Amino acid sequence: MPSAPVIGRFAPSPTGPLHLGSLIAALGSLADARSQGGRWLLRIEDIDPPREQPGAADSILRSLERHALHWDGPVQYQHDHAERYEDALARLRRSGDIYACICSRAALARAGVPDCLGGCRATTHAARGMPPAGAWRLRHGGAVHYRDRLRGELSEDLGVTCGDFVLKRRDGLYAYQLAVVVDDAASGITDVVRGADLLDNTARQCWLMQRLGLPRPRYLHLPLIVGADGQKLSKQNHAPALRDDEAARNLWQALDFLRQSPPPELARSSPATIVDWAVGHWRPDAIPLADMPA
Ligand SMILES: [Zn+2]
């Protein structure tokens, strides 16, 4: 059976400049796709304006270019995709997979339940006409089994971990899970290579794909850089921005972190040469599982 052409992607949120952790995800996803003769797309996940930093999206694009991480096709922006998210929600409303939950966060906390007190779940809004203003929740289906290329078979019982999860918030913002699943399918993404901090989103995303009848990509979650305190290096804990004038050094360090064994002299090459080397020598089986310091 001929397999579909590989399409990978890098999908940063514009909450700050690129840092070494995000460079590892960018380089890893590019090398994985291009080493299989595939394409590599770039999507800016700008669906949460309160968390975004002005100018961050442009800064990320500039840094990627300076690191010779050149994407295929136009940059996609999630803020352009509201129509496709609404289409997906409309399908899920028709199939009865989602319901409008009007339970307040305070009421849920008092009751000690993660999702809904039950009244909204039991009601079919289609029968009542207009749904009340609330968060749209997806009915969970219990255990979800999926595979990670590094970790093997994994499973998560959504009934235990999160219950019916939100796809569109009460304030009108789309949830990350909905945007990622709908956009990956629209772009024909076959291979998701991303940081292990996103591993615990995978079961929810697989379940949503199943309810929408969308194909499931292959998953590879890369280890994270942790600081001296054991915390993940992230924009939230003020990871230092990458210096674009040290692109070659940064790329070499990212390859070394992923245990791709870049030769020492490669560090003196141009960013484009290092990226070509990464594609030509990509060995996903050499990637370590454990998070570690840079
Ligand atoms: Zn509710």
Side-chain angles (χ1 to χ4, degrees), residues 99-104 108 115-122 135 137 170:
Y99 60 89
C101 173
I102 55 171
C103 301
S104 72
L108 294 174
D115 48 7
C116 177
L117 297 174
C120 329
R121 183 191 287 129
R137 289 188 185 276
R170 187 189 293 252

Side-chain angles (χ1 to χ4, degrees), residues 74 86 90 99 154 184 218 237 240 262:
E86 288 300 331
Y99 60 89
L154 299 171
D184 279 349
R218 288 178 289 267
N237 63 20

Side-chain angles (χ1 to χ4, degrees), residues 73 83 103 203 205 209 219 229 249-250 270 274 293:
E83 199 175 328
C103 301
Q205 292 170 8
M209 278 167 217
Y219 288 102
D229 55 357
R249 200 189 65 129
N250 297 334
S270 70
I274 300 177

Side-chain angles (χ1 to χ4, degrees), residues 170-184:
R170 187 189 293 252
D171 61 10
L173 293 182
Y174 299 103
Y176 168 73
Q177 316 300 350
L178 177 71
V180 166
V181 163
V182 169
D183 283 341
D184 279 349

